[in-house]
Amino acid sequence: MLRSQRLPEIILRVFTAAVLFLFVFGTVQQYLKDMSRITLLFFIFANTLTVGLAIFSRIPSERDWRPFSLAVTLFGTFYFTAFNIKPGIQLVPEACAAAVQIVGVLIQIYAKLSLRRSFGLLPANRGVVVFGPYRFIRHPMYVGYCVTDIGFLLANLGLRNLFLVLLQWGVQVVRIMREERLLSKDDTYRQYARRVRYRLIPGLF
């Protein structure tokens, strides 16, 4: 990789690590005020898993650095830092909400184990993965994110958090479309997309 390409990679990863540290520190402080709020722990774990792995991801052969892609990626990655983590409306007991979060995290882990170090933030070609959950839908990791968000909302509902989650889901659809635009340059991915038709929800999208 050229030095001119390496510098933006280093800056992005250092920024990601700094944001993750501040998020974890602030959320732990909130949890220590009320240790019955176990959804905060899974909130920390899920987002540390997502962002932390991106720091150590494989450097891609091609990445989309265009401003719009960068803006969408930054929001889609760091939106959780804007959540109101103070106690909100609790629709279900903490344990039930945490169970939903666990399902979401397990989906993410399954997808990320399949990707190994091919996971990252910006749209990029890190190689095409066609096994594991990718046999059934093209973007299972995003399904995991959505399920985890729902679990958090069930115990921490508020207008701000609801708005952020709905906006995030819309942004994730945009991310998917931009990722596929880049990946579709790869004949292997085009063949994969013909074989696995749906992106998120079988029979719908």
Side-chain angles (χ1 to χ4, degrees):
M1 174 179 281
L2 298 175
R3 183 174 298 179
S4 60
Q5 296 174 310
R6 189 181 297 121
L7 182 59
E9 287 284 346
I10 293 172
I11 292 172
L12 179 62
R13 293 175 193 229
V14 170
F15 173 77
T16 299
V19 172
L20 180 61
F21 173 79
L22 292 173
F23 157 73
V24 170
F25 179 79
T27 308
V28 167
Q29 294 297 109
Q30 191 66 39
Y31 169 71
L32 292 176
K33 294 178 182 178
D34 182 355
M35 298 179 70
S36 69
R37 298 182 64 203
I38 57 174
T39 51
L40 288 180
L41 294 181
F42 288 106
F43 186 55
I44 293 170
F45 178 75
N47 289 295
T48 299
L49 179 69
T50 299
V51 179
L53 286 178
I55 297 171
F56 301 102
S57 65
R58 179 187 304 156
I59 296 174
S61 59
E62 183 180 3
R63 192 197 280 278
D64 185 355
W65 285 104
R66 285 176 290 186
F68 181 74
S69 292
L70 183 59
V72 166
T73 297
L74 289 176
F75 177 83
T77 302
F78 300 114
Y79 74 102
F80 59 86
T81 62
F83 272 130
N84 181 3
I85 57 174
K86 294 179 180 179
I89 299 171
Q90 191 175 63
L91 298 179
V92 301
E94 282 280 329
C96 294
V100 175
Q101 287 179 295
I102 290 171
V103 171
V105 169
L106 290 176
I107 294 171
Q108 291 181 49
I109 290 174
Y110 186 26
K112 286 168 182 175
L113 286 175
S114 301
L115 286 176
R116 297 185 177 90
R117 292 185 66 217
S118 294
F119 168 69
L121 300 181
L122 280 166
N125 188 345
R126 299 176 179 84
V128 179
V129 175
V130 298
F131 50 86
Y134 292 86
R135 292 173 295 169
F136 310 110
I137 53 175
R138 302 208 296 258
H139 300 275
M141 199 178 306
Y142 292 106
V143 174
Y145 297 158
C146 290
V147 173
T148 304
D149 286 342
I150 290 170
F152 182 77
L153 276 182
L154 287 173
N156 302 275
L157 184 63
L159 287 178
R160 175 171 153 187
N161 290 350
L162 179 61
F163 172 75
L164 283 169
V165 167
L166 293 176
L167 181 60
Q168 158 71 353
W169 291 352
V171 167
Q172 297 292 29
V173 170
V174 174
R175 289 181 76 183
I176 286 171
M177 303 309 291
R178 295 191 77 84
E179 284 177 13
E180 293 202 340
R181 181 185 301 176
L182 187 150
L183 289 169
S184 292
K185 298 176 184 178
D186 188 325
D187 184 59
T188 302
Y189 189 82
R190 290 196 299 271
Q191 294 177 27
Y192 165 70
R194 286 194 292 268
R195 192 167 64 251
V196 179
R197 293 179 57 195
Y198 297 104
R199 299 175 177 91
L200 291 176
I201 306 172
L204 186 61
F205 176 72

